[in-house]
Amino acid sequence: MMLVVESLSAHYGLFGAVRDVSFEVQEGDFFGILGSNGAGKTTILRAIAGLHPPAVTGSITFRGKDLLKAPPHARAALGIGLVPEGRRMFSSLSVRESLLLGAYRRGKAWQVRNLDRVLATFPELAERLEQATGSLSGGQQQMVAFGRALMCEPSLLLLDEPSLGLAPVVVQRIFALLKELHASTGLTMILVEQNAVEAFPLLTRGAVIERGRIALDGTRAELEASPVVAQAYLGADGA
């Protein structure tokens, strides 16, 4: 297993956003965490990335290493990349500067090599390297967010609501890019997403979270066979 989460609980003050969550992610998985708004999906990703407040208990193990007390930069150095909800761009920075932020702790040769690799994945950005990130469309900014995370050569990529705020045609394009990236590189991914209809075909395995707890987990086929998943997340009648 690449990632093992056991009995994870996370609190904002007295509010328990996530309670006793456990799941495992295998090398090469495209693992989805599905659920309604406020179910606790983003909290789980933030806990894995080290961005959650200190009120986190349980166990998070990445390739045998205990992450619970590791700071965010140490987790990134181990190979965990994050594409945050809402993209979180510095709008005044150029596309080049924004991408290089993902590898600012690395040497020049690393940055050049990975910048070329990211631009090969997102050739549209190569034409806009000196353009201010804030002037890009929402879809282009999402590409920058993906590229910034890929600059550190992650072995695990965390994706938090990548379709948020994007037009339907752009959403389809973003998911097509993710499908191609996973197929071509085998990169392990954890996707948090409300748009289950678009996300579901990409997944190898996943979990459904409701009110801060895992309600169901398994392979894509096992989730798809659940009447609850079919009705609540995939728009089927559940019959």
Side-chain angles (χ1 to χ4, degrees):
M1 290 294 170
M2 173 179 278
L3 181 78
V4 179
V5 176
E6 293 184 303
S7 302
L8 178 70
S9 295
H11 295 77
Y12 295 94
L14 297 177
F15 173 68
V18 171
R19 297 180 293 279
D20 198 30
V21 164
S22 299
F23 62 91
E24 299 176 340
V25 177
Q26 302 175 11
E27 192 98 28
D29 265 347
F30 200 133
F31 190 93
I33 302 178
L34 307 177
S36 60
N37 188 34
K41 305 184 303 299
T42 289
T43 298
I44 294 172
L45 280 200
R46 288 178 63 83
I48 295 170
L51 300 179
H52 195 274
V56 176
T57 59
S59 169
I60 304 172
T61 306
F62 178 70
R63 288 184 166 167
K65 298 182 182 296
D66 181 11
L67 294 185
L68 206 59
K69 295 183 179 179
H73 69 269
R75 302 185 196 204
L78 287 172
I80 299 177
L82 173 66
V83 179
E85 180 181 6
R87 300 179 285 278
R88 303 295 176 91
M89 297 283 103
F90 292 99
S91 60
S92 62
L93 295 184
S94 69
V95 170
R96 183 192 300 274
E97 291 168 332
S98 296
L99 292 173
L100 291 176
L101 279 178
Y104 78 97
R105 298 175 70 91
R106 305 290 188 173
K108 185 69 174 179
W110 177 293
Q111 293 178 349
V112 170
R113 180 181 74 249
N114 284 287
L115 183 60
D116 288 343
R117 183 170 60 89
V118 166
L119 295 179
T121 303
F122 304 107
E124 190 172 333
L125 298 181
E127 306 168 3
R128 296 170 169 79
L129 275 178
E130 309 311 323
Q131 189 172 333
T133 307
S135 68
L136 302 180
S137 69
Q140 291 165 345
Q141 288 185 16
Q142 191 62 281
M143 292 179 197
V144 174
F146 288 151
R148 182 179 59 191
L150 292 173
M151 283 292 293
C152 70
E153 288 188 19
S155 52
L156 174 62
L157 185 62
L158 310 177
L159 300 150
D160 193 0
E161 301 282 8
S163 72
L164 186 68
L166 300 179
V169 65
V170 180
V171 169
Q172 292 178 0
R173 185 180 179 194
I174 291 296
F175 281 117
L177 284 169
L178 289 177
K179 181 179 181 180
E180 171 59 27
L181 182 63
H182 184 253
S184 62
T185 67
L187 177 62
T188 307
M189 303 186 196
I190 301 179
L191 171 67
V192 157
E193 183 58 60
Q194 288 188 63
N195 189 344
V197 173
E198 291 288 349
F200 208 80
L202 279 65
L203 307 183
T204 57
R205 299 173 57 247
V208 175
I209 184 166
E210 295 179 353
R211 298 180 181 179
R213 297 182 184 273
I214 297 290
L216 183 68
D217 69 329
T219 65
R220 181 178 65 189
E222 289 170 338
L223 294 179
E224 197 169 24
S226 164
V228 174
V229 172
Q231 185 173 22
Y233 298 101
L234 302 179
D237 59 12

